[in-house]
């Protein structure tokens, strides 16, 4: 696990933008796993500014609310098109976002897994982290080897995401999410987190035990996971100075950024 600490959310988003740009330069047919949320929005703003060539890129989003049509203001379909895809030359057929209106949810989830495999697997999975440690919508106690499936949202996640809905009763209780096993199959994982409200859970994920009570902690087992943080999100890491030292002293060829 490589921990990269940068001064501000903007600097952190620029770093991740640069890592993605390098991947698309090296592999124009890259398969990206994508996240949504406020942190991801920062990143997509940065990616849009870079005017990258998305014409051969394939994407798979982590999750979607069940029961929301794609045009719903809080749906992740809408989020992705508004914040990223519309501003790129990506082909619609190469975009995959779980369908929250799928009739047979179980077979839909199995098909999503098959589609990822048929695309050659995910080269780089972008992740955010919830205040309870969720990645995608794999809430605490999710199986660490789970695949794409239906999950029930934790009350805290519904509360955290209430701002996107008018009325707390309108927040769906269920979602489709890639599993933790699905995420761990990605060739690279890159978790971006900013802000003080993520500091506690991040210290557990990076420096605590691997546990389904903090699903992001599974990234400790990933061979190439990078955690990019701003100072506020890193503020409870006990070994922050050590991560900075390692980052500053990497061999040039091994550097993710700059
Ligand atoms: C959503 C997703 C979630 C978010 C997480 C952080 O697609 O994957 O795990 O990344 O809830 O969201 P923000 O950035 O809004 O705090």
């Amino acid at each position: 696990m490589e921990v990269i600490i940068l001064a501000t959310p903007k600097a952190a988003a620029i770093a991740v933008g640069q890592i993605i740009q390098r991947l698309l330069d090296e592999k124009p047919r890259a398969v990206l796993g994508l996240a949504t949320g406020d942190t991801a929005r920062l990143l997509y703003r940065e990616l849009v500014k870079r005017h990258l060539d998305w014409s051969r890129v394939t994407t798979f989003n982590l999750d979607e609310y069940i029961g929301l049509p794609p045009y719903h203001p809080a749906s992740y379909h809408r989020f992705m098109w508004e914040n990223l895809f519309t501003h790129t030359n990506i082909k619609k057929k190469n975009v995959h976002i779980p369908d929250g209106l799928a009739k047979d949810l179980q077979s839909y989830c199995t098909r999503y897994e098959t589609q990822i495999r048929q695309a050659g697997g995910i080269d780089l999975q972008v992740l955010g982290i919830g205040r309870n440690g969720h990645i995608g919508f794999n809430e605490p106690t999710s199986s660490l080897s789970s695949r794409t499936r239906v999950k029930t949202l934790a009350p805290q996640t519904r509360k955290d995401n209430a701002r996107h809905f008018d009325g707390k009763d309108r927040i769906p209780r269920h979602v489709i999410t890639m599993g933790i096993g699905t995420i761990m199959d990605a060739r690279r994982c890159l978790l971006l987190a900013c802000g003080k409200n993520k500091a506690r859970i991040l210290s557990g994920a990076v420096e605590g035990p691997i546990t389904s009570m903090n699903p992001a902690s599974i990234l400790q087992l990933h061979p190439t996971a990078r955690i990019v943080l701003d100072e506020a999100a890193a503020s409870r890491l006990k070994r922050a100075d050590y991560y900075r030292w390692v980052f500053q002293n990497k061999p040039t060829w091994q550097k993710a950024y700059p």
Side-chain angles (χ1 to χ4, degrees):
M1 196 182 237
E2 181 182 11
V3 181
I4 302 176
I5 303 171
L6 294 157
T8 61
K10 189 168 173 102
I14 289 174
V16 176
Q18 194 154 332
I19 293 169
I20 294 176
Q21 175 160 7
R22 194 189 288 178
L23 171 65
L24 299 197
D25 285 348
E26 282 166 6
K27 187 172 181 184
R29 289 184 184 280
V31 178
L32 294 180
L34 297 176
T36 57
D38 290 348
T39 321
R41 187 182 283 115
L42 271 183
L43 168 64
Y44 298 153
R45 215 173 280 152
E46 174 59 31
L47 286 178
V48 168
K49 272 195 225 149
R50 287 173 185 257
H51 301 290
L52 307 176
D53 180 10
W54 291 76
S55 59
R56 285 174 287 171
V57 174
T58 297
T59 62
F60 287 90
N61 263 77
L62 283 163
D63 40 22
E64 178 59 289
Y65 294 104
I66 291 178
L68 292 198
Y71 54 82
H72 189 286
S75 86
Y76 288 164
H77 278 79
R78 180 123 170 217
F79 176 98
M80 288 309 299
W81 282 97
E82 282 186 1
N83 288 288
L84 182 63
F85 298 143
T86 306
H87 312 285
T88 70
N89 61 346
I90 197 162
K91 295 197 174 82
K92 203 169 173 200
K93 70 176 172 60
N94 292 339
V95 169
H96 304 83
I97 306 172
D99 177 2
L101 297 181
K103 288 220 166 60
D104 180 346
L105 285 164
Q106 252 163 312
S107 60
Y108 178 80
C109 291
T110 309
R111 211 164 56 244
Y112 203 68
E113 289 277 332
T114 308
Q115 284 178 315
I116 295 174
R117 262 198 316 278
Q118 284 172 344
I122 292 173
D123 290 300
L124 176 74
Q125 176 65 58
V126 174
L127 298 165
I129 184 171
R131 287 199 302 150
N132 61 3
H134 71 215
I135 47 176
F137 273 139
N138 294 284
E139 303 283 33
T141 71
S142 287
S143 155
L144 296 179
S145 58
S146 47
R147 312 302 309 186
T148 303
R149 70 212 182 292
V150 172
K151 281 294 289 177
T152 304
L153 288 178
Q156 183 176 357
T157 303
R158 292 184 73 234
K159 215 156 96 197
D160 288 347
N161 290 0
R163 63 191 187 282
H164 304 299
F165 294 85
D166 35 295
K168 66 174 172 19
D169 297 337
R170 293 181 187 265
I171 312 164
R173 282 162 202 255
H174 301 115
V175 291
I176 298 176
T177 180
M178 274 188 207
I180 296 181
T182 324
I183 292 169
M184 290 294 283
D185 281 350
R187 285 183 269 281
R188 288 200 256 164
C189 283
L190 214 170
L191 188 150
L192 173 64
C194 303
K196 218 171 174 57
N197 65 346
K198 302 288 172 69
R200 187 191 56 80
I201 201 72
L202 271 164
S203 71
V206 173
E207 297 178 330
I210 296 170
T211 165
S212 66
M213 296 310 294
N214 184 345
S217 64
I218 191 68
L219 295 173
Q220 294 177 33
L221 283 183
H222 195 282
T224 42
R226 289 197 170 103
I227 315 289
V228 182
L229 308 174
D230 72 340
E231 287 286 354
S235 60
R236 293 182 72 154
L237 292 175
K238 290 195 181 71
R239 292 176 176 253
D241 287 344
Y242 168 64
Y243 310 135
R244 288 195 186 92
W245 191 89
V246 172
F247 178 64
Q248 282 154 12
N249 290 282
K250 285 232 153 201
T252 320
W253 63 268
Q254 219 184 35
K255 279 191 180 192
Y257 165 84

